[in-house]
Amino acid sequence: MAEAQDLQKLAEREYEFGFVTDIETDSAPPGLSEDTIRMISNKKDEPEWLLDWRLRAYKRWLTLEDPAWAKVKHPPINYQDIIYYSAPKPKKQLESLDEVDPEILRAYEKLGIPLLEQKRLAGVAVDAVFDSVSVATTFKAELEKQGILFCSFSEAVKNHPDLIQKYLGSVVPYADNFYAALNSAVFTDGSFAYIPEGVRCPMELSTYFRINAANTGQFERTLLVADKGAYVSYLEGCTAPMRDENQLHAAVVELVALEDAEIKYSTIQNWYPGDKNGKGGIYNFVTKRGKCAGARSKISWTQVETGSAITWKYPSCILQGDDSVGEFYSVALTANHQQADTGTKMIHIGKNTSSTIISKGISAGHGDNTYRGLVRMQKGADGARNYSQCDSLLLGDQCGAHTFPYLEVQNSTATVEHEATTSKIGEDQLFYCQQRGISEEDAISLIVNGFCKQVFRELPMEFAVEANNLLSLSLEGSVG
Amino acid sequence: MTTPILEIQDLHARAGERDVLQGIELTVAPGEVHAIMGPNGSGKSTLANVLAGRPSVDVTHGKVLYRGADLLGMAPEQRAREGVFLAFQYPVEIPGITNMYFAKAALNAVRAHRGEKELDAFDFLSLAREKMKLVEMDEALMNRAINEGFSGGEKKRNEILQMAILEPTLAVLDETDSGLDIDALRIVANGVNSLRSADRSMVLITHYQRLLDYIVPDVVHVLSSGRIVRSGGKELALELEEKGYGWLEEAAAG
Ligand SMILES: Nc1ncnc2c1ncn2[C@@H]1O[C@H](COP(=O)(O)OP(=O)(O)OP(=O)(O)O)[C@@H](O)[C@H]1O
Ligand SMILES: [Mg+2]
């Protein structure tokens, strides 16, 4: 009984990062039409081919419907109510961080990510996306020395159109799904990175996203290309201010790894999850996919998903090159009325390709947590291997956990292994910790962190600490 | 007279649907070691759980004083921080958290409560190493997840290690000797004996008089159907070994 109450409180944790930054915004009127798309493209001074691509995506989108198969519930979204373009008004071209709007910097500070500090710290280059336009990019010169390109998507369109034209839509075609088509039509900005042949990126590339202006759909586009033998570790982390209206976020992330290249993509997603009655919160409908195009290439996704009202997200790997490797490590926490339908797709095409899936779902309160994963072994995937492990941890008895593994094996030499467990946080475990002097709150956080260990150890060091803190923070003030 | 470490008065408790404890009386003075024996299901672990504050056991009547203060009013972690330690009959496994990390978190929780400085990883390691020697525990076990995949004997030894690290005032050992081989029994007993002191008390729950050859108790109690039906010196354990519990249960019933 006491336990149920504690877990109730735990589930009702308040969102720490809810605040709205007050800056002037330059917004389009709500609604979506060819004109809106032309306006976005025009504002961004884009080449003709890109506008054409957007318009084709838009026409395709008109023929598609919201996917209904995910185990999530929400009222229908009126796409004509959404503002598709919003940018902080640039006062002038920014040369250094000192010129960034102090309001924006203050917002970052509240989030515990002071850019100025980060610049000095640990060699992390930060491309900060504030709403839809990049306001600061650091460490660029250092990266340039190695021939590494790391910039906002818009800049990349201007300065490296050949690369964009070559790779945009090569992993996630605009017709891929409803949200990907929408994103392709209206994306405003995002990040681009290119690591040239044989270069090992000397620092973690990192982007902090912020959703800010009210009623603004966010349509980020990220493209990372690791050329032959290159290595990059990319960090994506985000938080959003508290507000009542639901906000749609439909990003697309494309990764391309050529021969012997390796991409490690880590995400901490902590967007506003809605209040404890399920009001508000971000709808996070994201398409993330990587292509191991070359032999012996490797793509590794690690995600810690604690925010958003609804998460719909399946970071996937297309294992095309022989001996290529795909990995997916995930922690998804749903509390209050949060819903998550997340997982991965591992598409084995090349010979001796291998993939690993480790998924940890934590549900509390009325949270609903679904793992949905596809492992496909295609005809030519001789000797391919997959190992999947999906564990669910339940806190309380009003939450849900579901596992939907899909297997398609078209090659008899392929091996597939799947393990799944569901457990409740045990009274025995809690009591054992308390008997050693550890408070119930700390004990829950300890047990939950232990449950997530396999995933956390895949995160870069500084992110692992953040992830630990984030879960502990989420559980803080929740018991006692 | 000095205040007893533990004073139990007419304690009744329910677990599940059963009235398991039905009027326990027990007083343990500082420095004393008491052994509690008794048949399976008589309520020994339930008593230990009441002392440690397990939420699933309901105290329906009676009083428990710890160093003169009301023990039952304290939260389980508060009891632990005040120096009450329970070596579990069945220690649980907690995946993903190393034994070392856990022991450090526990010690620092206790130290913080006492107003002492928390130990950093380095200082804790040297302390832990010293205690590991005491119970002849391999350091490899410290870097594994708490009790995960530990053998029965390793789990018991781990309990004693934690006790040695936390240096409690009242230690309750619930069948720590069960499942130990002869060498492990000696090691555990040494660990316990090295903690014996004038201001620390222990309650040993055991089925075997063998343990009491190594750890000589001041008093032996027999718990039967939720009541202490006989108390005596060390000889009582020998007598039980010979005659079993039947004669006492009959005497108690009659
Ligand atoms: N949570 C519970 N629900 C139902 N019954 C319980 C619960 N806890 C204890 N009991 C019952 O209470 C009785 C006493 O249990 P307890 O574990 O205290 O015995 P014990 O003396 O320690 O026995 P053993 O020597 O086998 O360890 C047993 O019959 C047990 O089944
Ligand atoms: Mg017992």
Side-chain angles (χ1 to χ4, degrees):
Chain A
M1 194 56 218
E3 193 191 356
Q5 268 174 15
D6 293 339
L7 293 174
Q8 187 70 22
K9 279 191 215 143
L10 157 72
E12 289 171 5
R13 71 213 161 88
E14 290 288 339
Y15 187 66
E16 293 258 328
F17 300 134
F19 54 89
V20 177
T21 305
D22 184 21
I23 48 165
E24 290 179 77
T25 56
D26 165 20
S27 301
L32 181 54
S33 66
E34 281 203 16
D35 286 345
T36 324
I37 293 164
R38 283 179 201 283
M39 179 233 172
I40 293 170
S41 190
N42 186 40
K43 277 243 180 220
K44 305 184 77 64
D45 214 4
E46 284 176 356
E48 196 61 28
W49 65 263
L50 189 49
L51 174 62
D52 282 351
W53 193 75
R54 287 177 181 277
L55 291 172
R56 268 182 281 144
Y58 173 66
K59 289 202 184 94
R60 184 53 181 256
W61 178 73
L62 290 174
T63 71
L64 298 170
E65 284 185 33
D66 295 47
W69 44 263
K71 211 180 165 311
V72 297
K73 289 190 288 271
H74 59 85
I77 297 168
N78 185 344
Y79 292 91
Q80 296 307 332
D81 281 351
I82 294 171
I83 295 171
Y84 288 89
Y85 184 79
S86 156
K89 266 189 191 146
K91 298 204 168 77
K92 60 176 163 75
Q93 191 67 37
L94 301 172
E95 304 261 309
S96 83
L97 286 177
D98 305 339
E99 297 171 50
V100 173
D101 187 331
E103 279 287 319
I104 293 175
L105 292 180
R106 222 169 291 138
Y108 282 118
E109 259 157 52
K110 278 194 208 169
L111 295 169
I113 39 167
L115 275 180
L116 291 165
E117 208 49 51
Q118 289 211 6
K119 203 173 168 182
R120 267 182 277 129
L121 280 172
V124 177
V126 175
D127 169 35
V129 175
F130 193 83
D131 270 29
S132 313
V133 171
S134 297
V135 292
T137 304
T138 57
F139 274 85
K140 237 163 104 180
E142 275 186 64
L143 294 170
E144 266 164 19
K145 254 189 265 166
Q146 310 238 23
I148 295 167
L149 310 175
F150 179 44
C151 58
S152 72
F153 203 90
S154 326
E155 279 177 79
V157 169
K158 280 203 183 69
N159 303 330
H160 315 287
D162 45 329
L163 285 171
I164 298 291
Q165 204 163 2
K166 182 167 177 190
Y167 290 111
L168 177 68
S170 70
V171 185
V172 181
Y174 62 74
D176 190 78
N177 68 69
F178 182 84
Y179 300 115
L182 180 62
N183 173 288
S184 303
V186 303
F187 73 90
T188 40
D189 214 331
S191 298
F192 170 75
Y194 172 80
I195 321 298
E197 187 170 339
V199 171
R200 201 182 156 84
C201 186
M203 57 187 83
E204 317 268 358
L205 297 184
S206 156
T207 305
Y208 279 94
F209 293 91
R210 279 287 267 137
I211 294 179
N212 194 264
N215 265 328
T216 306
Q218 283 279 302
F219 305 94
E220 308 283 353
R221 189 96 200 178
T222 300
L223 174 61
L224 305 185
V225 180
D227 212 324
K228 290 177 187 164
Y231 168 85
V232 64
S233 168
Y234 191 87
L235 315 183
E236 176 201 296
C238 30
T239 54
M242 186 180 298
R243 66 181 70 258
D244 277 346
E245 310 96 298
N246 287 304
Q247 286 188 310
L248 176 64
H249 184 97
V252 170
V253 176
E254 295 181 280
L255 312 183
V256 181
L258 302 185
E259 243 171 70
D260 295 301
E262 180 177 348
I263 301 177
K264 199 170 158 52
Y265 193 104
S266 313
T267 306
I268 289 188
Q269 186 269 114
N270 186 28
W271 281 328
Y272 180 50
D275 69 13
K276 60 184 181 219
N277 300 314
K279 192 159 180 269
I282 303 293
Y283 291 179
N284 189 22
F285 302 150
V286 185
T287 306
K288 288 185 167 177
R289 194 176 303 153
K291 182 151 86 178
C292 286
R296 296 169 304 278
S297 55
K298 178 175 175 183
I299 289 179
S300 177
W301 297 100
T302 306
Q303 61 173 23
V304 178
E305 305 278 326
T306 59
S308 294
I310 304 177
T311 300
W312 179 96
K313 182 181 172 189
Y314 315 89
S316 303
C317 297
I318 298 171
L319 303 169
Q320 192 175 58
D322 290 347
D323 300 295
S324 61
V325 176
E327 293 175 339
F328 174 73
Y329 299 96
S330 169
V331 166
L333 181 141
T334 51
N336 294 318
H337 291 266
Q338 279 178 280
Q339 310 170 61
D341 192 305
T342 183
T344 184
K345 288 189 249 181
M346 293 291 175
I347 311 295
H348 292 253
I349 300 171
K351 293 187 180 55
N352 299 314
T353 46
S354 73
S355 61
T356 303
I357 299 172
I358 307 285
S359 161
K360 304 277 179 177
I362 303 156
S363 320
H366 298 271
D368 210 6
N369 211 316
T370 299
Y371 168 80
R372 189 183 302 278
L374 167 69
V375 176
R376 181 191 294 153
M377 302 297 189
Q378 300 206 164
K379 272 211 181 66
D382 292 342
R385 297 177 308 279
N386 163 265
Y387 172 75
S388 303
Q389 183 190 332
C390 304
D391 300 321
S392 306
L393 184 67
L394 301 172
L395 288 81
D397 46 19
Q398 290 168 317
C399 50
H402 321 273
T403 304
F404 299 107
Y406 303 89
L407 274 182
E408 295 172 10
V409 181
Q410 295 151 5
N411 184 310
S412 60
T413 64
T415 53
V416 176
E417 217 182 313
H418 180 88
E419 288 175 23
T421 65
T422 300
S423 51
K424 287 192 96 166
I425 201 160
E427 188 243 358
D428 282 1
Q429 288 177 331
L430 282 179
F431 182 59
Y432 189 76
C433 296
Q434 288 174 277
Q435 211 307 300
R436 296 299 183 258
I438 297 166
S439 70
E440 183 170 15
E441 190 177 297
D442 289 347
I444 290 176
S445 138
L446 193 83
I447 293 165
V448 169
N449 278 313
F451 175 75
C452 300
K453 190 53 135 261
Q454 271 173 296
V455 173
F456 286 174
R457 70 170 175 228
E458 297 299 326
L459 290 169
M461 195 56 146
E462 60 270 39
F463 243 31
V465 173
E466 261 184 66
N468 249 307
N469 290 344
L470 186 58
L471 284 200
S472 304
L473 202 79
S474 306
L475 307 171
E476 209 170 74
S478 51
V479 213
Chain B
M1 210 195 101
T2 51
T3 317
I5 296 288
L6 181 67
E7 221 179 332
I8 304 177
Q9 298 164 4
D10 196 22
L11 179 70
H12 292 249
R14 286 179 77 85
E17 296 295 291
R18 286 192 49 187
D19 290 313
V20 181
L21 301 183
Q22 308 190 21
I24 303 275
E25 303 277 345
L26 179 69
T27 300
V28 181
E32 286 182 351
V33 173
H34 289 225
I36 296 183
M37 306 183 80
N40 294 132
S42 56
K44 301 181 297 297
S45 293
T46 304
L47 175 60
N49 283 329
V50 166
L51 297 178
R54 188 187 280 273
S56 61
V57 180
D58 269 341
V59 173
T60 49
H61 186 82
K63 238 166 126 177
V64 178
L65 300 177
Y66 170 64
R67 295 200 287 193
D70 173 26
L71 183 70
L72 301 178
M74 298 183 205
E77 61 267 34
Q78 197 186 347
R79 300 179 196 199
R81 292 170 192 172
E82 290 282 343
V84 177
F85 181 91
L86 170 59
F88 286 80
Q89 185 174 2
Y90 305 108
V92 299
E93 305 186 357
I94 306 179
I97 300 296
T98 67
N99 217 13
M100 186 73 91
Y101 182 89
F102 181 70
K104 177 168 149 269
L107 179 62
N108 280 335
V110 172
R111 289 179 67 94
H113 179 72
R114 290 190 201 134
E116 293 166 4
K117 196 166 78 51
E118 294 196 357
L119 292 187
D120 60 22
F122 187 78
D123 289 341
F124 180 75
L125 184 63
S126 44
L127 175 87
R129 285 209 169 118
E130 184 191 312
K131 306 292 184 180
M132 271 145 54
K133 256 189 234 137
L134 193 69
V135 294
E136 298 179 27
M137 174 110 124
D138 188 4
E139 193 159 334
L141 281 180
M142 295 307 286
N143 296 317
R144 281 176 37 192
I146 305 162
N147 292 321
E148 201 178 37
F150 284 26
S151 75
E154 285 167 344
K155 284 182 183 170
K156 297 298 175 77
R157 230 187 275 195
N158 197 28
E159 294 293 287
I160 299 306
L161 174 69
Q162 291 180 6
M163 177 175 85
I165 288 171
L166 296 174
E167 303 187 319
T169 302
L170 173 65
V172 180
L173 277 57
D174 192 356
E175 295 198 26
T176 303
D177 55 330
S178 297
L180 292 184
D181 64 34
I182 304 287
D183 288 341
L185 183 68
R186 182 185 42 78
I187 291 163
V188 163
N190 285 345
V192 172
N193 283 330
S194 70
L195 281 171
R196 274 182 96 153
S197 77
D199 47 10
R200 182 174 289 142
S201 302
M202 300 195 191
V203 174
L204 307 177
I205 297 173
T206 181
H207 285 294
Y208 306 106
Q209 104 82 25
R210 197 184 52 180
L211 176 73
L212 307 181
D213 286 340
Y214 292 98
I215 310 171
V216 182
D218 298 295
V219 191
V220 175
H221 307 276
V222 178
L223 187 63
S224 175
S225 305
R227 232 171 276 171
I228 289 177
V229 294
R230 171 84 52 125
S231 301
K234 186 185 171 324
E235 337 65 68
L236 180 55
L238 287 168
E239 202 176 348
L240 291 170
E241 186 104 316
E242 211 175 289
K243 300 197 206 162
Y245 294 114
W247 61 286
L248 282 174
E249 282 169 343
E250 278 158 32

